[in-house]
Amino acid sequence: MAELTYLEALRQGMWEEMERDERVFILGEDIGAYGGAFKVTDGFQQKFGEHRVIDTPIAEAAIVGAAAGAAHMGLRPIAEMQFIDFISCAYDMLTNYVATARYRAGLPTPMVVRGPSGGYVRGGPFHSQNPEAAFLHTPGLKIVCPATVRDAKGLIKSAIRDDDPVLYFEHKYLYRRIKEEIPEGEEILTPIGKARVAREGKDLTIITWSAMVFKALEAAEKLEQEDGLSVEVIDLRTLLPMDDEAIMASVRKTNRVLVAHEDTRTGGVAGEITARINDQAFEWLDAPVKRVTAHDVPLPYAPTLEDFVLPQTDDLVKAARWLAAY
Amino acid sequence: MAELTYLEALRQGMWEEMERDERVFILGEDIGAYGGAFKVTDGFQQKFGEHRVIDTPIAEAAIVGAAAGAAHMGLRPIAEMQFIDFISCAYDMLTNYVATARYRAGLPTPMVVRGPSGGYVRGGPFHSQNPEAAFLHTPGLKIVCPATVRDAKGLIKSAIRDDDPVLYFEHKYLYRRIKEEIPEGEEILTPIGKARVAREGKDLTIITWSAMVFKALEAAEKLEQEDGLSVEVIDLRTLLPMDDEAIMASVRKTNRVLVAHEDTRTGGVAGEITARINDQAFEWLDAPVKRVTAHDVPLPYAPTLEDFVLPQTDDLVKAARWLAAY
Amino acid sequence: MASSTAPAAAKTALPAGLSREQLLEMYYFLRLTRALEERLVNLYRQTKVIGGLFRSLGQEGESVGSAYALDRSKGDFLSPLIRNLGSMLVQGATPLEILRQYMAKAESPTRGRELNIHFGDLERGFIGQISHLGDMIPVMAGVALSFKMRKQPRVALAYVGDGAMSTGAFHEGINFAAVQRLPLVIVCENNGWAYSTPTHKQTAVKQLSDKAAAYGIPGYRADGNDIVACYAVTRNAVERARSGGGASLIEFVTYRRKGHAEHDNQSYQPKEQIAEWEMNDPVDRFHGSLLSTGWSSGAELDAVDTRVQNELDAAVELCENEPLPAVNTALEGVYASPAVMQPEWYRAL
Amino acid sequence: MASSTAPAAAKTALPAGLSREQLLEMYYFLRLTRALEERLVNLYRQTKVIGGLFRSLGQEGESVGSAYALDRSKGDFLSPLIRNLGSMLVQGATPLEILRQYMAKAESPTRGRELNIHFGDLERGFIGQISHLGDMIPVMAGVALSFKMRKQPRVALAYVGDGAMSTGAFHEGINFAAVQRLPLVIVCENNGWAYSTPTHKQTAVKQLSDKAAAYGIPGYRADGNDIVACYAVTRNAVERARSGGGASLIEFVTYRRKGHAEHDNQSYQPKEQIAEWEMNDPVDRFHGSLLSTGWSSGAELDAVDTRVQNELDAAVELCENEPLPAVNTALEGVYASPAVMQPEWYRAL
Ligand SMILES: Cc1ncc(C[n+]2csc(CCOP(=O)(O)OP(=O)(O)O)c2C)c(N)n1
Ligand SMILES: Cc1ncc(C[n+]2csc(CCOP(=O)(O)OP(=O)(O)O)c2C)c(N)n1
Ligand SMILES: [Mg+2]
Ligand SMILES: [Mg+2]
């Protein structure tokens, strides 16, 4: 049993898939000899060669487009965005070309686009983004956001094996901050489309994903201690397609819901979740579904400002108390 | 009193602003001598000259980026996308550069990006898009979607005068299909951020915008005739910033809400609206807020398929009956 | 072709290593392209075409010639644009498929989902474009990348217009292909116009082939209305790519004799310019040289024309009365899984 | 400078139409850039810098030389990149502003919103970059477009790296500027590396100035470590643009002697390569030629060094104890109106 970090688990997942399936390859900026800006692919080029670990020019649309072309031909590309913020440069390619290829033309496009996302790292407006909301609206894409070491590995492996294009958004705050025992040789394949109950509870549900899961768990612990509240935490893991069943099961159980995400509120993923709950479990609600999100501003980098703009554990605690008292 | 089409009203609005303010100019593909793919700028270059009606290469990121640079310097650019579907090629420029310029660096960026959007025209997946949802999530941008001839004129004029970047999404289905008397010489300035009650009602509210407003009005008429239902129709007009006041006023009045849009459901604007209602008027709801949207697929062009995928008047009627009976 | 109708003896040596049969086959594709578009115009006028109709009138030579330079037996691949009907026919697309696409029939290759010639077939070796110009260059670079990674002796060919060369996607894709030395041939069809925009408003370069210099790859240039010249220059670039020479760019100098689409009255195009290029029609030119050189006989060429008309009669007749797609098919195939999307709740009421 | 300390007489004619005062001023900016970055390194080691630290060590010459070629009295404009600290100082940015930015102070130009030298000032004539490479080229084309539309005799200068030239935004922007004949000078800093990627993996062209050929504009090339050469070639391009000659591209051949940022151990850069370029340091070279030519005296140069150190002492001292931004300012200025965003509901609990 080895203790792995989130980053090591991601590496291991890609490594195993590349060993298992020679169709799998990686392309991106500085991923070869250098091993990537965060060393996620460190050692990959030495092991798998330059033809399977390809250093590209700075051209995200070309990286994603070339991945799509190779995927059509039966390969299984993993396209790395050096920071996920730069996926916006491939927005057209992803939403218009990649997402529609199967529907338009029956073209299989099994590919993964991944990269470091998220804030709480003083990265400022262009090295802290969470692009889930930008792609949630695109039929044809799948979106996964691992929160745990186990899922970092299990979701990348499932994403690589999936026959549809998958956006895998890893959280850079978690890279080296969380550790977990991962049994050697166990084949970990986290199912895409299935949420996880991160903590059982009966009074109130916090629905979230990625790094925010840990803030939710902290809040739940605190609420248990200080208020005797039993808080359930749902880690969605996959945002598209969304696991309505798991969401509604928890809503029917606790009747009170907080939806929390790190990204800004307006037009964010929490809106969609709220609409689904309202639609499918309205009668089960004892209180309005409330959103705890970042403020609607670009993310500033000064510590004082970033900490203010982003939702914190304490905000979840306060919001949960409000909701429990409703 | 002249009867104008939606397209003529838009033309007139831009024409008046260009006459009033020499800082206003237009740039885009084929907008000069040709007058644009839909003839929206027909005659503009002859009148205002090549330096104020600029034919550009096929380069949406450059069109939007150049507009931003000129706006910083005190000009008031209107960037035309030949079809709004191509705004995706400027997604990075709009969301990362334009939207954040004021917040990051105090740079004024008064500019308008506009173009023909929308379906029901057999345009297929890439000439029918409604990009509202793609930009709703971007603090720093404003989004307007005129449904009437009067607002086509009033919103373009307000957008041009606004000190923030405004996305003006006109609906090509309405271009020549609707007419309205617009008094000569009346200064029409539709306020950005204010919705409009398109039809008063007390039993149920349909919240929508753009071409869908007319389907909602048709449905309301039918429901009045056949079911004696009094349906209120809210034309949002501006999606960002959203007019919560107008929305909640109607919810408190009818207690039953349908949110309808032409675009696909998941991650669409209706989710945000539903979340706001749930958040601000939960106690006023006698039924779940229901969404009537397109199906979650790329838009096919065969008439049978397009008509099936897009929401129709009859769908609104059925949904409203269901909601009224809830 | 029945050898009885063959000319006594060719007066001129056969060009570019092409056989008489190949020349005749190229003529067939040329005629088929021209005639199929003419049928489409009639159907369009009868409002049987759904959406716009895009002509390649005057450009059929470069489409057919360049596509013919690929080696289908080796699995070469191409990505056509809206005016590359000829290229698709060469690559194996059938008139019936084209007609079905333009009429949005249930049996059309995209099952009524995408318009006109926006369709492909991995088996036959072509991928349909999307509307967003330039995007196919990175995608075809990826196709070429798969050939290189698998050490397959295959070549990919992608078309780009004089206008589409202004897009960022074109730049990122061609640079990627160049630096990775991928077997990709990029064919620029310089037809003088991008919708209403003349090439000099699109770029300040005089020759579009000069753009190759920015990527460190060879740039070739040919008379786009000389089908044999187009074949020869493309063949050379294709074999260069196949033998590991990497990417290259070819400019075909031609002209768009019709408007951007049928609805466009092309008022902005000088009448004389159009007339001048009409005198330089690629079909007439090839027809003329086939006869004057003695590569083909008049009887052979007439036989081709008859064959084309018969094939089109059959295709149009078959297609016209076919049904449009069944509505429920609209929910299929967005994903491999789930295979079918659920209908919206309001449809169950 | 006190003329008493001036050399008896210049042995060599003054270069590129520069006066002794100007040469000395260029030396001042060169030293200021180098010394300010050294201060920042210390602050970084003391973890007083928030976020990464980016060095321009070895590239100060081209930054200062090119920016110095602009005419501030005419309102010329530039857009710097992460390694153009020198250009910003020339354009009027102060060490105090830079320090405040790196330390995210309340009084920093962006009020703690954006990192390092990502800031601008329309008055002084520079716009801060965003991280997304290439995006500033279209934006600066728009700035140049405003000059042209208003018939102002102003010039815009935009920097781009060897790596950023691969982006679609660069291509769309430079092509737009070229075809519109805008007064835009694009300076490519070819420092051999884009993060860990050598230029030959970025593009197949040998000389980046060759890319100008794809846009029909002149491409110039200069020794990026020779500040006077950089000044001269840029001055020429700037005046060409001012007189209606349109856009141009300049390549400065230089070298990034530090890693991409301070955290980067630059293991991928050959030691000898770094050493070799160290021998070619732009500050040392300029210092040497100022003396050997007799354009300046040792006393003058020493005085500059002292002045620089004093200015930096003052700036660092002033900045260090300044407060970070007040939290409520985070909600200001997303829009002109509304001027302030509402705090989220949960903050009122
Ligand atoms: C990114 C993008 N912007 C705009 C358009 C609209 N558009 C369709 S075709 C066309 C002109 C294309 O000209 P060119 O590339 O020369 O091809 P041609 O039609 O001449 O064959 C334009 C502007 C588009 N399809 N994609
Ligand atoms: C569109 C985009 N993709 C990736 C990055 C990440 N990134 C930041 S700097 C850099 C290297 C830039 O190299 P170059 O343009 O040569 O500038 P230099 O650092 O050498 O001055 C990369 C890849 C980015 N900022 N923007
Ligand atoms: Mg063209
Ligand atoms: Mg570099």
Side-chain angles (χ1 to χ4, degrees):
Chain A
M1 288 276 271
E3 262 223 334
L4 298 184
T5 63
Y6 180 93
L7 185 142
E8 287 158 351
L10 164 59
R11 285 170 47 73
Q12 204 176 74
M14 290 195 290
W15 188 280
E16 287 176 9
E17 290 307 299
M18 287 185 78
E19 279 190 316
R20 184 187 62 81
D21 182 350
E22 63 176 15
R23 299 170 306 167
V24 180
F25 73 100
I26 315 180
L27 72 171
E29 297 150 14
D30 306 293
I31 65 169
Y34 190 64
F38 288 90
K39 301 295 175 186
V40 170
T41 56
D42 199 15
F44 276 60
Q45 193 174 63
Q46 291 83 323
K47 161 81 174 181
F48 299 104
E50 288 206 15
H51 63 297
R52 288 182 70 193
V53 183
I54 303 171
D55 281 314
T56 68
I58 302 170
E60 285 73 16
I63 292 168
V64 169
H72 294 335
M73 305 308 287
L75 296 173
R76 298 247 158 186
I78 303 169
E80 169 171 313
M81 304 282 106
Q82 192 160 84
F83 282 81
I84 208 65
D85 308 62
F86 306 124
I87 198 172
S88 57
C89 300
Y91 180 83
D92 163 55
M93 195 62 81
L94 278 165
T95 58
N96 289 310
Y97 188 82
V98 172
T100 65
R102 179 179 294 276
Y103 188 78
R104 272 186 296 112
L107 287 167
T109 317
M111 58 184 275
V112 177
V113 180
R114 51 151 289 270
S117 63
Y120 301 100
V121 294
R122 315 312 183 203
F126 306 120
H127 290 77
S128 308
Q129 295 177 1
N130 295 284
E132 300 95 280
F135 296 98
L136 186 72
H137 190 54
T138 308
L141 297 179
K142 294 178 177 178
I143 306 174
V144 300
C145 302
T148 65
V149 172
R150 190 178 181 82
D151 286 336
K153 179 171 182 179
L155 281 171
I156 193 66
K157 286 169 71 82
S158 295
I160 292 167
R161 298 187 189 192
D162 201 279
D163 289 330
D164 294 306
V166 180
L167 308 182
Y168 176 103
F169 297 141
E170 61 223 49
H171 202 297
K172 70 175 85 72
Y173 183 87
L174 301 178
Y175 270 158
R176 297 178 172 84
R177 282 189 178 81
I178 58 172
K179 279 199 161 67
E180 199 176 322
E181 302 252 311
I182 298 297
E184 300 282 354
E186 180 194 346
E187 184 73 291
I188 300 176
L189 290 167
T190 304
I192 291 178
K194 292 260 160 287
R196 174 182 75 98
V197 179
R199 177 187 174 111
E200 296 261 359
K202 50 182 187 31
D203 299 335
L204 180 150
T205 300
I206 301 179
I207 298 171
T208 188
W209 59 92
S210 198
M212 187 65 63
V213 167
F214 298 94
K215 294 202 175 348
L217 290 171
E218 268 172 46
E221 195 52 41
K222 192 160 191 232
L223 290 158
E224 177 100 65
Q225 305 299 328
E226 301 179 8
D227 309 54
L229 274 175
S230 161
V231 176
E232 180 147 300
V233 176
I234 303 290
D235 170 8
L236 280 182
R237 302 197 292 194
T238 299
L239 297 181
L240 189 64
M242 207 174 269
D243 189 350
D244 291 359
E245 238 175 71
I247 294 171
M248 303 316 151
S250 188
V251 174
R252 285 194 297 268
K253 184 166 144 196
T254 67
N255 316 113
R256 284 179 162 74
V257 189
L258 274 188
V259 184
H261 60 61
E262 183 182 316
D263 197 9
T264 52
R265 173 171 41 85
T266 299
V269 177
E272 176 64 28
I273 296 169
T274 307
R276 287 175 183 236
I277 292 171
N278 161 100
D279 187 28
Q280 300 172 46
F282 181 72
E283 292 297 340
W284 296 86
L285 289 174
D286 291 346
V289 177
K290 298 294 279 188
R291 295 185 285 181
V292 174
T293 70
H295 290 76
D296 279 340
V297 306
L299 190 63
Y301 95 105
T304 48
L305 302 182
E306 185 184 30
D307 291 344
F308 174 81
V309 170
L310 293 179
Q312 307 296 341
T313 300
D314 202 47
D315 299 319
L316 290 169
V317 169
K318 283 191 258 146
R321 284 183 178 138
W322 181 93
L323 201 59
Y326 186 92
Chain B
M1 291 273 270
E3 262 222 335
L4 297 185
T5 62
Y6 180 92
L7 185 143
E8 287 158 351
L10 163 58
R11 283 171 48 73
Q12 205 176 73
M14 290 195 290
W15 188 280
E16 286 177 10
E17 291 306 299
M18 286 185 78
E19 278 189 318
R20 182 187 64 80
D21 182 350
E22 63 176 13
R23 299 170 306 168
V24 180
F25 73 99
I26 315 181
L27 70 170
E29 297 150 13
D30 306 294
I31 66 169
Y34 190 64
F38 288 90
K39 300 295 176 188
V40 170
T41 56
D42 200 15
F44 276 59
Q45 193 174 63
Q46 290 86 321
K47 160 82 174 179
F48 298 104
E50 290 206 13
H51 64 297
R52 288 183 70 194
V53 183
I54 303 171
D55 282 314
T56 68
I58 301 170
E60 284 74 15
I63 292 168
V64 169
H72 294 334
M73 305 307 288
L75 296 173
R76 298 249 158 184
I78 303 170
E80 169 171 312
M81 304 282 105
Q82 192 160 84
F83 281 81
I84 208 65
D85 308 62
F86 306 125
I87 199 172
S88 57
C89 301
Y91 180 82
D92 163 55
M93 194 61 81
L94 278 164
T95 59
N96 289 311
Y97 189 82
V98 172
T100 65
R102 178 179 295 275
Y103 188 78
R104 271 187 297 112
L107 287 167
T109 316
M111 58 184 276
V112 177
V113 180
R114 51 150 290 270
S117 64
Y120 302 100
V121 295
R122 315 313 183 204
F126 306 121
H127 289 77
S128 307
Q129 295 177 2
N130 295 285
E132 300 95 283
F135 296 99
L136 186 72
H137 190 55
T138 308
L141 298 179
K142 294 179 177 179
I143 306 175
V144 300
C145 302
T148 65
V149 172
R150 189 178 181 83
D151 286 336
K153 180 172 181 177
L155 282 172
I156 192 66
K157 286 170 71 81
S158 296
I160 292 167
R161 297 186 189 192
D162 201 279
D163 290 330
D164 295 307
V166 180
L167 308 182
Y168 176 103
F169 298 140
E170 60 222 50
H171 202 297
K172 68 176 86 72
Y173 182 88
L174 301 178
Y175 271 158
R176 297 178 171 82
R177 281 189 178 82
I178 58 172
K179 279 198 161 67
E180 199 177 319
E181 302 251 312
I182 299 296
E184 302 281 355
E186 180 194 346
E187 184 73 290
I188 300 176
L189 290 167
T190 304
I192 291 178
K194 292 260 158 287
R196 175 182 73 97
V197 178
R199 177 188 174 110
E200 296 259 359
K202 51 182 183 37
D203 300 334
L204 179 151
T205 300
I206 301 178
I207 297 172
T208 188
W209 59 92
S210 199
M212 188 64 64
V213 167
F214 297 95
K215 294 200 172 356
L217 290 171
E218 268 173 46
E221 194 52 43
K222 194 159 191 236
L223 289 158
E224 176 101 67
Q225 304 299 328
E226 301 179 8
D227 308 54
L229 274 175
S230 161
V231 176
E232 178 146 303
V233 177
I234 303 290
D235 170 7
L236 280 182
R237 303 198 292 195
T238 299
L239 297 181
L240 189 64
M242 208 174 269
D243 189 349
D244 291 357
E245 237 175 73
I247 294 171
M248 303 316 151
S250 188
V251 174
R252 286 194 297 269
K253 184 166 144 195
T254 67
N255 317 112
R256 285 180 163 73
V257 188
L258 273 187
V259 184
H261 59 61
E262 183 182 315
D263 198 7
T264 52
R265 172 171 42 84
T266 299
V269 177
E272 176 64 28
I273 296 170
T274 306
R276 287 177 183 234
I277 292 171
N278 161 101
D279 187 30
Q280 300 172 44
F282 181 72
E283 293 297 338
W284 295 86
L285 289 174
D286 292 345
V289 177
K290 298 294 280 188
R291 294 185 285 181
V292 174
T293 70
H295 289 76
D296 279 341
V297 306
L299 190 62
Y301 94 105
T304 48
L305 303 182
E306 185 183 29
D307 292 344
F308 174 80
V309 170
L310 293 179
Q312 307 296 340
T313 301
D314 203 47
D315 299 319
L316 289 169
V317 170
K318 283 191 258 144
R321 283 183 178 139
W322 181 92
L323 201 61
Y326 186 92
Chain C
M1 299 294 135
S3 58
S4 63
T5 67
K11 297 194 219 66
T12 318
L14 290 165
L18 288 159
S19 70
R20 289 187 61 260
E21 290 63 31
Q22 289 177 303
L23 288 164
L24 209 52
E25 191 180 27
M26 286 167 78
Y27 178 74
Y28 162 73
F29 284 120
L30 208 49
R31 292 291 308 149
L32 184 61
T33 307
R34 175 75 52 96
L36 175 50
E37 283 190 6
E38 285 162 352
R39 297 295 180 108
L40 284 166
V41 170
N42 295 336
L43 293 163
Y44 180 85
R45 300 228 169 100
Q46 301 162 42
T47 71
K48 287 177 178 165
V49 163
I50 294 167
L53 173 60
F54 297 81
R55 296 295 308 276
S56 67
L57 182 71
Q59 300 181 223
E60 301 95 335
E62 38 101 347
S63 282
V64 171
S66 53
Y68 203 81
L70 292 176
D71 190 333
R72 269 158 301 291
S73 73
K74 295 205 173 74
D76 289 349
F77 221 88
L78 68 76
S79 166
L81 295 175
I82 199 83
R83 299 186 208 289
N84 294 117
L85 173 58
S87 315
M88 291 177 75
L89 293 171
V90 170
Q91 202 68 357
T94 68
L96 182 57
E97 288 177 308
I98 307 295
L99 291 162
R100 283 170 165 166
Q101 277 295 114
Y102 266 107
M103 294 195 261
K105 299 299 193 180
E107 295 301 313
S108 68
T110 67
R111 304 163 63 200
R113 292 162 179 212
E114 248 284 42
L115 297 100
N116 53 60
I117 67 173
H118 286 205
F119 72 97
D121 178 358
L122 293 176
E123 291 310 311
R124 284 173 285 178
F126 58 101
I127 295 185
Q129 68 170 130
I130 65 168
S131 296
H132 294 68
L133 294 168
D135 285 6
M136 298 314 294
I137 304 299
V139 171
M140 289 301 282
V143 169
L145 178 65
S146 77
F147 297 160
K148 182 186 168 203
M149 286 176 67
R150 288 169 159 162
K151 304 197 169 46
Q152 299 170 326
R154 302 169 68 181
V155 177
L157 185 152
Y159 294 92
V160 66
D162 45 281
M165 283 180 128
S166 301
T167 63
F170 162 78
H171 174 71
E172 293 195 4
I174 190 173
N175 183 61
F176 182 86
V179 75
Q180 291 282 328
R181 296 185 64 79
L182 303 179
L184 178 65
V185 175
I186 295 174
V187 172
C188 163
E189 305 173 283
N190 183 358
N191 61 5
W193 299 89
Y195 208 144
S196 76
T197 306
T199 307
H200 67 84
K201 282 194 173 186
Q202 198 70 236
T203 171
V205 299
K206 297 276 154 293
Q207 303 195 357
L208 298 182
S209 52
D210 291 350
K211 288 179 182 265
Y215 307 102
I217 59 175
Y220 308 107
R221 202 158 191 256
D223 175 348
N225 289 28
D226 176 344
I227 187 171
V228 173
C230 294
Y231 168 84
V233 68
T234 309
R235 185 80 183 178
N236 162 56
V238 165
E239 291 317 323
R240 185 179 168 285
R242 197 187 309 284
S243 58
S248 56
L249 176 68
I250 302 172
E251 173 186 9
F252 288 144
V253 181
T254 182
Y255 189 79
R256 196 195 74 202
R257 270 159 56 196
K258 286 289 185 180
H260 175 60
E262 279 299 292
H263 73 268
D264 171 9
N265 66 12
Q266 64 188 133
S267 52
Y268 49 86
Q269 285 173 276
K271 298 263 163 308
E272 325 66 59
Q273 208 179 47
I274 300 173
E276 188 182 303
W277 281 90
E278 205 168 340
M279 297 294 86
N280 183 13
D281 181 77
V283 182
D284 298 349
R285 275 178 67 179
F286 193 45
H287 185 275
S289 55
L290 284 173
L291 292 181
S292 61
T293 53
W295 295 334
S296 311
S297 71
E300 285 174 318
L301 301 186
D302 295 346
V304 167
D305 297 359
T306 319
R307 174 184 163 203
V308 164
Q309 294 307 335
N310 295 340
E311 288 177 359
L312 292 178
D313 289 340
V316 171
E317 164 143 24
L318 184 55
C319 179
E320 272 201 89
N321 307 314
E322 287 185 350
L324 296 183
V327 297
N328 53 349
T329 63
L331 299 179
E332 298 166 5
V334 176
Y335 295 96
S337 79
V340 182
M341 306 298 272
Q342 292 310 310
E344 287 294 320
W345 70 281
Y346 55 77
R347 287 292 163 82
L349 302 175
Chain D
M1 297 298 131
S3 57
S4 64
T5 67
K11 298 193 218 69
T12 317
L14 291 166
L18 288 159
S19 70
R20 291 186 60 259
E21 290 63 30
Q22 289 177 302
L23 289 163
L24 209 51
E25 191 181 26
M26 286 167 77
Y27 179 75
Y28 162 74
F29 284 120
L30 209 48
R31 292 292 309 150
L32 184 61
T33 307
R34 174 74 52 95
L36 175 51
E37 283 190 6
E38 284 162 353
R39 297 293 180 110
L40 284 165
V41 171
N42 294 337
L43 293 163
Y44 180 85
R45 300 228 171 98
Q46 300 163 42
T47 70
K48 287 177 179 167
V49 163
I50 295 167
L53 173 60
F54 297 81
R55 297 294 308 275
S56 66
L57 183 71
Q59 300 181 223
E60 301 95 334
E62 38 101 347
S63 281
V64 171
S66 52
Y68 203 80
L70 293 176
D71 191 333
R72 270 158 301 290
S73 73
K74 294 204 172 75
D76 289 349
F77 220 88
L78 68 75
S79 167
L81 295 175
I82 198 84
R83 298 185 210 290
N84 294 118
L85 174 58
S87 316
M88 291 176 76
L89 294 171
V90 170
Q91 201 69 355
T94 68
L96 181 57
E97 288 177 307
I98 307 294
L99 290 162
R100 284 171 166 166
Q101 277 295 116
Y102 266 105
M103 294 195 262
K105 299 299 192 181
E107 294 301 311
S108 68
T110 67
R111 304 162 64 199
R113 292 162 180 213
E114 249 283 44
L115 299 101
N116 53 61
I117 67 172
H118 287 204
F119 73 96
D121 178 358
L122 293 176
E123 292 310 311
R124 284 173 284 179
F126 58 101
I127 294 185
Q129 68 168 130
I130 65 168
S131 297
H132 295 67
L133 295 168
D135 285 6
M136 298 314 294
I137 304 299
V139 172
M140 289 301 281
V143 168
L145 179 65
S146 78
F147 298 159
K148 182 185 168 203
M149 286 175 68
R150 288 168 159 162
K151 303 198 170 46
Q152 298 170 327
R154 301 168 70 181
V155 177
L157 185 152
Y159 293 92
V160 66
D162 44 282
M165 283 180 127
S166 301
T167 63
F170 162 78
H171 174 72
E172 293 195 5
I174 190 173
N175 183 61
F176 182 87
V179 75
Q180 291 283 329
R181 295 185 64 79
L182 302 179
L184 178 66
V185 175
I186 294 175
V187 172
C188 163
E189 304 173 284
N190 183 359
N191 60 5
W193 298 89
Y195 209 144
S196 76
T197 306
T199 307
H200 67 83
K201 281 193 171 186
Q202 199 68 237
T203 171
V205 297
K206 297 275 155 293
Q207 303 195 357
L208 298 182
S209 52
D210 291 350
K211 288 179 182 264
Y215 307 102
I217 60 174
Y220 309 106
R221 199 156 194 257
D223 175 347
N225 290 28
D226 176 343
I227 187 170
V228 173
C230 294
Y231 167 85
V233 68
T234 310
R235 185 81 182 177
N236 162 57
V238 165
E239 290 317 322
R240 184 177 169 285
R242 197 187 310 284
S243 56
S248 57
L249 176 69
I250 302 172
E251 173 186 7
F252 288 144
V253 181
T254 182
Y255 189 79
R256 196 195 73 203
R257 270 160 53 198
K258 286 290 185 179
H260 175 60
E262 279 299 292
H263 73 269
D264 172 9
N265 67 11
Q266 64 189 135
S267 51
Y268 49 86
Q269 285 174 274
K271 299 263 163 307
E272 325 66 61
Q273 208 179 49
I274 300 172
E276 189 182 301
W277 282 89
E278 206 167 340
M279 298 293 83
N280 184 13
D281 181 76
V283 182
D284 297 348
R285 274 178 69 178
F286 193 45
H287 185 275
S289 56
L290 284 173
L291 292 181
S292 61
T293 53
W295 295 334
S296 312
S297 71
E300 285 174 318
L301 301 186
D302 296 346
V304 167
D305 298 357
T306 320
R307 173 182 164 205
V308 163
Q309 295 306 336
N310 295 340
E311 288 177 358
L312 293 178
D313 291 339
V316 172
E317 164 144 25
L318 184 55
C319 179
E320 274 200 90
N321 307 315
E322 287 185 349
L324 296 182
V327 297
N328 53 355
T329 63
L331 300 178
E332 299 166 2
V334 176
Y335 295 96
S337 80
V340 182
M341 307 298 272
Q342 292 310 308
E344 288 294 321
W345 70 281
Y346 55 78
R347 286 293 163 81
L349 300 175

